[in-house]
Amino acid sequence: MRYEKGHRDETRRHILDVASAQFRESGIAAVGLAGIMSEAGLTNGAFYTHFASKEDLVREVLVDALTRREQRHKANLENGVAVETVIRDYLSARHRDRAGTGCPTAALAAEIARHPKTTRDAFTGKISDLIGLMAEQIRQGTAEERRRRAITIYSTMVGALQLARAVNDRRLSDEILENAVDAALTIANER
């Protein structure tokens, strides 16, 4: 059976989207290829037409998801969106409650630390790019100072989001987010 031009790319994109949501929602280790392919409406055998292994898929998902976040940061820069807006959006209850579509760093960082060097290299490069873009949004200080603050802000945001998702007390979770916003804005000199 012959498929239309672009079918292979569309199928690959669909597998990436399904895997990305499942990884962020449930964790990489908890998600199997059979579950991904079933939700994608494809056979397990079709997986290997697009990816060499689960690790290859993990790496592709990370690069894709982080590239999308990077594009959002670039658009923020081009449109003059303040770093305060980025911080408040990231540390919102809406973001906390939607892990499947949220930041892959907050959802997957602990697991990525245990993956092979090639996956960690791809993750590291994308995180460095995101930090650089955040540093560009910070208005005050030398380039080195802005980068240091961007690293601290990003680390604060990711850690706070992870902690806010992990606790089972909604009030405490909200407090974590609110206090992290205040801390990040102070670091950014936006207060």
mmCIF file of all heavy atoms in Angstrom, residues 11-49:
data_model
loop_
_atom_site.group_PDB
_atom_site.id
_atom_site.type_symbol
_atom_site.label_atom_id
_atom_site.label_comp_id
_atom_site.label_asym_id
_atom_site.label_seq_id
_atom_site.Cartn_x
_atom_site.Cartn_y
_atom_site.Cartn_z
ATOM 1 N N THR A 11 3.324 10.691 10.572
ATOM 2 C CA THR A 11 3.273 9.571 11.509
ATOM 3 C C THR A 11 4.348 9.723 12.574
ATOM 4 O O THR A 11 4.089 9.543 13.769
ATOM 5 C CB THR A 11 3.434 8.230 10.765
ATOM 6 O OG1 THR A 11 2.384 8.123 9.795
ATOM 7 C CG2 THR A 11 3.381 7.053 11.714
ATOM 8 N N ARG A 12 5.545 10.074 12.155
ATOM 9 C CA ARG A 12 6.654 10.294 13.097
ATOM 10 C C ARG A 12 6.293 11.398 14.085
ATOM 11 O O ARG A 12 6.496 11.278 15.279
ATOM 12 C CB ARG A 12 7.920 10.652 12.318
ATOM 13 C CG ARG A 12 9.162 10.732 13.137
ATOM 14 C CD ARG A 12 10.366 11.026 12.197
ATOM 15 N NE ARG A 12 11.613 10.568 12.679
ATOM 16 C CZ ARG A 12 12.270 11.088 13.710
ATOM 17 N NH1 ARG A 12 11.768 12.080 14.374
ATOM 18 N NH2 ARG A 12 13.433 10.608 14.091
ATOM 19 N N ARG A 13 5.752 12.494 13.574
ATOM 20 C CA ARG A 13 5.339 13.629 14.406
ATOM 21 C C ARG A 13 4.295 13.176 15.427
ATOM 22 O O ARG A 13 4.336 13.550 16.592
ATOM 23 C CB ARG A 13 4.774 14.732 13.503
ATOM 24 C CG ARG A 13 4.029 15.843 14.175
ATOM 25 C CD ARG A 13 4.953 16.963 14.600
ATOM 26 N NE ARG A 13 5.277 16.800 15.985
ATOM 27 C CZ ARG A 13 6.426 17.127 16.563
ATOM 28 N NH1 ARG A 13 7.392 17.669 15.891
ATOM 29 N NH2 ARG A 13 6.648 16.932 17.823
ATOM 30 N N HIS A 14 3.350 12.339 14.972
ATOM 31 C CA HIS A 14 2.293 11.849 15.861
ATOM 32 C C HIS A 14 2.882 10.980 16.975
ATOM 33 O O HIS A 14 2.503 11.121 18.147
ATOM 34 C CB HIS A 14 1.245 11.079 15.042
ATOM 35 C CG HIS A 14 0.080 10.621 15.850
ATOM 36 N ND1 HIS A 14 -0.722 11.484 16.577
ATOM 37 C CD2 HIS A 14 -0.433 9.374 16.045
ATOM 38 C CE1 HIS A 14 -1.663 10.790 17.190
ATOM 39 N NE2 HIS A 14 -1.516 9.511 16.873
ATOM 40 N N ILE A 15 3.802 10.104 16.633
ATOM 41 C CA ILE A 15 4.456 9.267 17.648
ATOM 42 C C ILE A 15 5.195 10.154 18.655
ATOM 43 O O ILE A 15 5.109 9.933 19.864
ATOM 44 C CB ILE A 15 5.429 8.248 17.005
ATOM 45 C CG1 ILE A 15 4.659 7.248 16.148
ATOM 46 C CG2 ILE A 15 6.243 7.523 18.076
ATOM 47 C CD1 ILE A 15 5.538 6.392 15.243
ATOM 48 N N LEU A 16 5.919 11.152 18.165
ATOM 49 C CA LEU A 16 6.632 12.082 19.060
ATOM 50 C C LEU A 16 5.665 12.782 20.009
ATOM 51 O O LEU A 16 5.939 12.895 21.212
ATOM 52 C CB LEU A 16 7.398 13.130 18.251
ATOM 53 C CG LEU A 16 8.730 12.725 17.652
ATOM 54 C CD1 LEU A 16 9.240 13.820 16.714
ATOM 55 C CD2 LEU A 16 9.754 12.437 18.738
ATOM 56 N N ASP A 17 4.537 13.256 19.493
ATOM 57 C CA ASP A 17 3.566 13.969 20.325
ATOM 58 C C ASP A 17 2.972 13.066 21.402
ATOM 59 O O ASP A 17 2.843 13.467 22.561
ATOM 60 C CB ASP A 17 2.451 14.564 19.461
ATOM 61 C CG ASP A 17 2.924 15.728 18.602
ATOM 62 O OD1 ASP A 17 4.005 16.297 18.877
ATOM 63 O OD2 ASP A 17 2.212 16.054 17.627
ATOM 64 N N VAL A 18 2.608 11.849 21.009
ATOM 65 C CA VAL A 18 2.035 10.902 21.966
ATOM 66 C C VAL A 18 3.075 10.546 23.030
ATOM 67 O O VAL A 18 2.783 10.574 24.235
ATOM 68 C CB VAL A 18 1.524 9.628 21.248
ATOM 69 C CG1 VAL A 18 1.191 8.523 22.245
ATOM 70 C CG2 VAL A 18 0.313 9.959 20.390
ATOM 71 N N ALA A 19 4.283 10.230 22.615
ATOM 72 C CA ALA A 19 5.340 9.859 23.561
ATOM 73 C C ALA A 19 5.676 11.025 24.488
ATOM 74 O O ALA A 19 5.863 10.836 25.695
ATOM 75 C CB ALA A 19 6.592 9.407 22.811
ATOM 76 N N SER A 20 5.739 12.216 23.932
ATOM 77 C CA SER A 20 6.061 13.393 24.734
ATOM 78 C C SER A 20 5.050 13.580 25.858
ATOM 79 O O SER A 20 5.421 13.787 27.020
ATOM 80 C CB SER A 20 6.092 14.627 23.831
ATOM 81 O OG SER A 20 6.507 15.765 24.551
ATOM 82 N N ALA A 21 3.780 13.502 25.534
ATOM 83 C CA ALA A 21 2.738 13.661 26.554
ATOM 84 C C ALA A 21 2.812 12.534 27.589
ATOM 85 O O ALA A 21 2.729 12.786 28.800
ATOM 86 C CB ALA A 21 1.362 13.701 25.906
ATOM 87 N N GLN A 22 2.997 11.306 27.133
ATOM 88 C CA GLN A 22 3.058 10.175 28.067
ATOM 89 C C GLN A 22 4.292 10.253 28.959
ATOM 90 O O GLN A 22 4.197 10.002 30.165
ATOM 91 C CB GLN A 22 3.040 8.847 27.307
ATOM 92 C CG GLN A 22 1.683 8.491 26.758
ATOM 93 C CD GLN A 22 1.631 7.071 26.213
ATOM 94 O OE1 GLN A 22 2.543 6.268 26.392
ATOM 95 N NE2 GLN A 22 0.535 6.758 25.533
ATOM 96 N N PHE A 23 5.439 10.587 28.396
ATOM 97 C CA PHE A 23 6.657 10.708 29.200
ATOM 98 C C PHE A 23 6.491 11.780 30.270
ATOM 99 O O PHE A 23 6.846 11.588 31.432
ATOM 100 C CB PHE A 23 7.872 11.052 28.335
ATOM 101 C CG PHE A 23 8.369 9.948 27.441
ATOM 102 C CD1 PHE A 23 9.178 10.254 26.354
ATOM 103 C CD2 PHE A 23 8.055 8.622 27.662
ATOM 104 C CE1 PHE A 23 9.666 9.254 25.512
ATOM 105 C CE2 PHE A 23 8.526 7.607 26.834
ATOM 106 C CZ PHE A 23 9.336 7.929 25.750
ATOM 107 N N ARG A 24 5.975 12.938 29.887
ATOM 108 C CA ARG A 24 5.819 14.036 30.843
ATOM 109 C C ARG A 24 4.775 13.716 31.905
ATOM 110 O O ARG A 24 4.923 14.119 33.055
ATOM 111 C CB ARG A 24 5.440 15.326 30.111
ATOM 112 C CG ARG A 24 6.604 15.907 29.335
ATOM 113 C CD ARG A 24 6.255 17.247 28.762
ATOM 114 N NE ARG A 24 6.130 17.159 27.322
ATOM 115 C CZ ARG A 24 5.972 18.199 26.523
ATOM 116 N NH1 ARG A 24 5.882 19.414 27.026
ATOM 117 N NH2 ARG A 24 5.876 18.040 25.231
ATOM 118 N N GLU A 25 3.742 13.013 31.519
ATOM 119 C CA GLU A 25 2.666 12.702 32.455
ATOM 120 C C GLU A 25 3.047 11.576 33.414
ATOM 121 O O GLU A 25 2.760 11.649 34.608
ATOM 122 C CB GLU A 25 1.416 12.310 31.666
ATOM 123 C CG GLU A 25 0.149 12.270 32.486
ATOM 124 C CD GLU A 25 -0.318 13.634 32.961
ATOM 125 O OE1 GLU A 25 -0.270 14.605 32.199
ATOM 126 O OE2 GLU A 25 -0.738 13.715 34.133
ATOM 127 N N SER A 26 3.689 10.521 32.898
ATOM 128 C CA SER A 26 3.918 9.319 33.698
ATOM 129 C C SER A 26 5.383 9.024 33.994
ATOM 130 O O SER A 26 5.671 8.178 34.840
ATOM 131 C CB SER A 26 3.322 8.110 32.977
ATOM 132 O OG SER A 26 1.946 8.307 32.752
ATOM 133 N N GLY A 27 6.299 9.651 33.270
ATOM 134 C CA GLY A 27 7.720 9.355 33.430
ATOM 135 C C GLY A 27 8.188 8.409 32.343
ATOM 136 O O GLY A 27 7.414 7.569 31.859
ATOM 137 N N ILE A 28 9.435 8.540 31.971
ATOM 138 C CA ILE A 28 9.992 7.743 30.875
ATOM 139 C C ILE A 28 9.996 6.261 31.205
ATOM 140 O O ILE A 28 9.575 5.428 30.400
ATOM 141 C CB ILE A 28 11.418 8.227 30.522
ATOM 142 C CG1 ILE A 28 11.360 9.664 29.998
ATOM 143 C CG2 ILE A 28 12.079 7.298 29.515
ATOM 144 C CD1 ILE A 28 12.713 10.364 29.944
ATOM 145 N N ALA A 29 10.457 5.921 32.405
ATOM 146 C CA ALA A 29 10.575 4.511 32.779
ATOM 147 C C ALA A 29 9.222 3.807 32.833
ATOM 148 O O ALA A 29 9.123 2.618 32.551
ATOM 149 C CB ALA A 29 11.286 4.386 34.121
ATOM 150 N N ALA A 30 8.172 4.547 33.168
ATOM 151 C CA ALA A 30 6.847 3.953 33.316
ATOM 152 C C ALA A 30 6.112 3.758 31.990
ATOM 153 O O ALA A 30 5.091 3.078 31.943
ATOM 154 C CB ALA A 30 5.996 4.821 34.244
ATOM 155 N N VAL A 31 6.624 4.338 30.935
ATOM 156 C CA VAL A 31 5.947 4.300 29.642
ATOM 157 C C VAL A 31 6.642 3.294 28.728
ATOM 158 O O VAL A 31 7.847 3.376 28.504
ATOM 159 C CB VAL A 31 5.948 5.703 28.987
ATOM 160 C CG1 VAL A 31 5.388 5.644 27.582
ATOM 161 C CG2 VAL A 31 5.163 6.685 29.846
ATOM 162 N N GLY A 32 5.858 2.381 28.205
ATOM 163 C CA GLY A 32 6.397 1.390 27.279
ATOM 164 C C GLY A 32 6.076 1.737 25.840
ATOM 165 O O GLY A 32 5.146 2.502 25.558
ATOM 166 N N LEU A 33 6.838 1.163 24.945
ATOM 167 C CA LEU A 33 6.606 1.410 23.522
ATOM 168 C C LEU A 33 5.233 0.919 23.084
ATOM 169 O O LEU A 33 4.578 1.556 22.252
ATOM 170 C CB LEU A 33 7.699 0.737 22.683
ATOM 171 C CG LEU A 33 9.119 1.280 22.866
ATOM 172 C CD1 LEU A 33 10.097 0.530 21.977
ATOM 173 C CD2 LEU A 33 9.167 2.771 22.597
ATOM 174 N N ALA A 34 4.781 -0.192 23.635
ATOM 175 C CA ALA A 34 3.475 -0.731 23.253
ATOM 176 C C ALA A 34 2.364 0.273 23.581
ATOM 177 O O ALA A 34 1.446 0.479 22.783
ATOM 178 C CB ALA A 34 3.220 -2.060 23.943
ATOM 179 N N GLY A 35 2.452 0.907 24.741
ATOM 180 C CA GLY A 35 1.450 1.898 25.129
ATOM 181 C C GLY A 35 1.467 3.124 24.236
ATOM 182 O O GLY A 35 0.411 3.667 23.884
ATOM 183 N N ILE A 36 2.665 3.567 23.882
ATOM 184 C CA ILE A 36 2.803 4.719 22.979
ATOM 185 C C ILE A 36 2.182 4.399 21.629
ATOM 186 O O ILE A 36 1.374 5.159 21.095
ATOM 187 C CB ILE A 36 4.285 5.109 22.807
ATOM 188 C CG1 ILE A 36 4.847 5.664 24.107
ATOM 189 C CG2 ILE A 36 4.455 6.115 21.663
ATOM 190 C CD1 ILE A 36 6.366 5.819 24.115
ATOM 191 N N MET A 37 2.561 3.253 21.089
ATOM 192 C CA MET A 37 2.090 2.899 19.752
ATOM 193 C C MET A 37 0.595 2.624 19.742
ATOM 194 O O MET A 37 -0.100 2.968 18.783
ATOM 195 C CB MET A 37 2.884 1.710 19.216
ATOM 196 C CG MET A 37 4.378 2.011 19.031
ATOM 197 S SD MET A 37 4.720 3.484 18.045
ATOM 198 C CE MET A 37 4.340 2.861 16.410
ATOM 199 N N SER A 38 0.088 2.041 20.791
ATOM 200 C CA SER A 38 -1.349 1.798 20.886
ATOM 201 C C SER A 38 -2.111 3.126 20.893
ATOM 202 O O SER A 38 -3.087 3.290 20.147
ATOM 203 C CB SER A 38 -1.660 0.999 22.159
ATOM 204 O OG SER A 38 -3.049 0.854 22.311
ATOM 205 N N GLU A 39 -1.673 4.073 21.725
ATOM 206 C CA GLU A 39 -2.343 5.371 21.764
ATOM 207 C C GLU A 39 -2.199 6.118 20.434
ATOM 208 O O GLU A 39 -3.091 6.869 20.035
ATOM 209 C CB GLU A 39 -1.800 6.247 22.894
ATOM 210 C CG GLU A 39 -2.620 7.518 23.060
ATOM 211 C CD GLU A 39 -2.238 8.333 24.276
ATOM 212 O OE1 GLU A 39 -1.924 7.740 25.323
ATOM 213 O OE2 GLU A 39 -2.251 9.574 24.157
ATOM 214 N N ALA A 40 -1.087 5.887 19.747
ATOM 215 C CA ALA A 40 -0.874 6.520 18.443
ATOM 216 C C ALA A 40 -1.694 5.830 17.344
ATOM 217 O O ALA A 40 -1.769 6.330 16.220
ATOM 218 C CB ALA A 40 0.605 6.500 18.078
ATOM 219 N N GLY A 41 -2.292 4.683 17.681
ATOM 220 C CA GLY A 41 -3.094 3.955 16.689
ATOM 221 C C GLY A 41 -2.245 3.210 15.681
ATOM 222 O O GLY A 41 -2.671 2.991 14.539
ATOM 223 N N LEU A 42 -1.054 2.792 16.114
ATOM 224 C CA LEU A 42 -0.114 2.119 15.217
ATOM 225 C C LEU A 42 0.343 0.800 15.831
ATOM 226 O O LEU A 42 0.218 0.579 17.027
ATOM 227 C CB LEU A 42 1.104 3.024 14.976
ATOM 228 C CG LEU A 42 0.800 4.375 14.327
ATOM 229 C CD1 LEU A 42 1.981 5.316 14.484
ATOM 230 C CD2 LEU A 42 0.450 4.182 12.866
ATOM 231 N N THR A 43 0.922 -0.049 15.002
ATOM 232 C CA THR A 43 1.455 -1.317 15.492
ATOM 233 C C THR A 43 2.832 -1.103 16.104
ATOM 234 O O THR A 43 3.530 -0.135 15.789
ATOM 235 C CB THR A 43 1.581 -2.339 14.351
ATOM 236 O OG1 THR A 43 2.562 -1.858 13.416
ATOM 237 C CG2 THR A 43 0.253 -2.561 13.645
ATOM 238 N N ASN A 44 3.228 -2.029 16.965
ATOM 239 C CA ASN A 44 4.563 -1.951 17.573
ATOM 240 C C ASN A 44 5.652 -2.000 16.509
ATOM 241 O O ASN A 44 6.670 -1.324 16.627
ATOM 242 C CB ASN A 44 4.765 -3.097 18.565
ATOM 243 C CG ASN A 44 3.927 -2.929 19.807
ATOM 244 O OD1 ASN A 44 3.310 -1.889 20.027
ATOM 245 N ND2 ASN A 44 3.889 -3.965 20.627
ATOM 246 N N GLY A 45 5.434 -2.796 15.485
ATOM 247 C CA GLY A 45 6.423 -2.916 14.419
ATOM 248 C C GLY A 45 6.669 -1.605 13.689
ATOM 249 O O GLY A 45 7.776 -1.344 13.205
ATOM 250 N N ALA A 46 5.651 -0.760 13.609
ATOM 251 C CA ALA A 46 5.792 0.527 12.921
ATOM 252 C C ALA A 46 6.761 1.456 13.646
ATOM 253 O O ALA A 46 7.342 2.353 13.027
ATOM 254 C CB ALA A 46 4.433 1.201 12.780
ATOM 255 N N PHE A 47 6.944 1.221 14.929
ATOM 256 C CA PHE A 47 7.850 2.072 15.705
ATOM 257 C C PHE A 47 9.241 2.110 15.079
ATOM 258 O O PHE A 47 9.838 3.173 14.929
ATOM 259 C CB PHE A 47 7.939 1.568 17.158
ATOM 260 C CG PHE A 47 8.956 2.311 17.974
ATOM 261 C CD1 PHE A 47 8.630 3.519 18.570
ATOM 262 C CD2 PHE A 47 10.248 1.820 18.128
ATOM 263 C CE1 PHE A 47 9.575 4.223 19.313
ATOM 264 C CE2 PHE A 47 11.192 2.510 18.858
ATOM 265 C CZ PHE A 47 10.853 3.722 19.463
ATOM 266 N N TYR A 48 9.748 0.939 14.719
ATOM 267 C CA TYR A 48 11.129 0.838 14.241
ATOM 268 C C TYR A 48 11.335 1.390 12.828
ATOM 269 O O TYR A 48 12.461 1.502 12.370
ATOM 270 C CB TYR A 48 11.620 -0.608 14.379
ATOM 271 C CG TYR A 48 11.682 -0.990 15.840
ATOM 272 C CD1 TYR A 48 10.673 -1.746 16.424
ATOM 273 C CD2 TYR A 48 12.722 -0.542 16.648
ATOM 274 C CE1 TYR A 48 10.711 -2.060 17.778
ATOM 275 C CE2 TYR A 48 12.766 -0.846 17.999
ATOM 276 C CZ TYR A 48 11.768 -1.605 18.563
ATOM 277 O OH TYR A 48 11.801 -1.892 19.895
ATOM 278 N N THR A 49 10.272 1.759 12.179
ATOM 279 C CA THR A 49 10.378 2.479 10.906
ATOM 280 C C THR A 49 10.830 3.919 11.161
ATOM 281 O O THR A 49 11.441 4.541 10.303
ATOM 282 C CB THR A 49 8.999 2.499 10.198
ATOM 283 O OG1 THR A 49 8.586 1.164 10.004
ATOM 284 C CG2 THR A 49 9.054 3.231 8.884
#
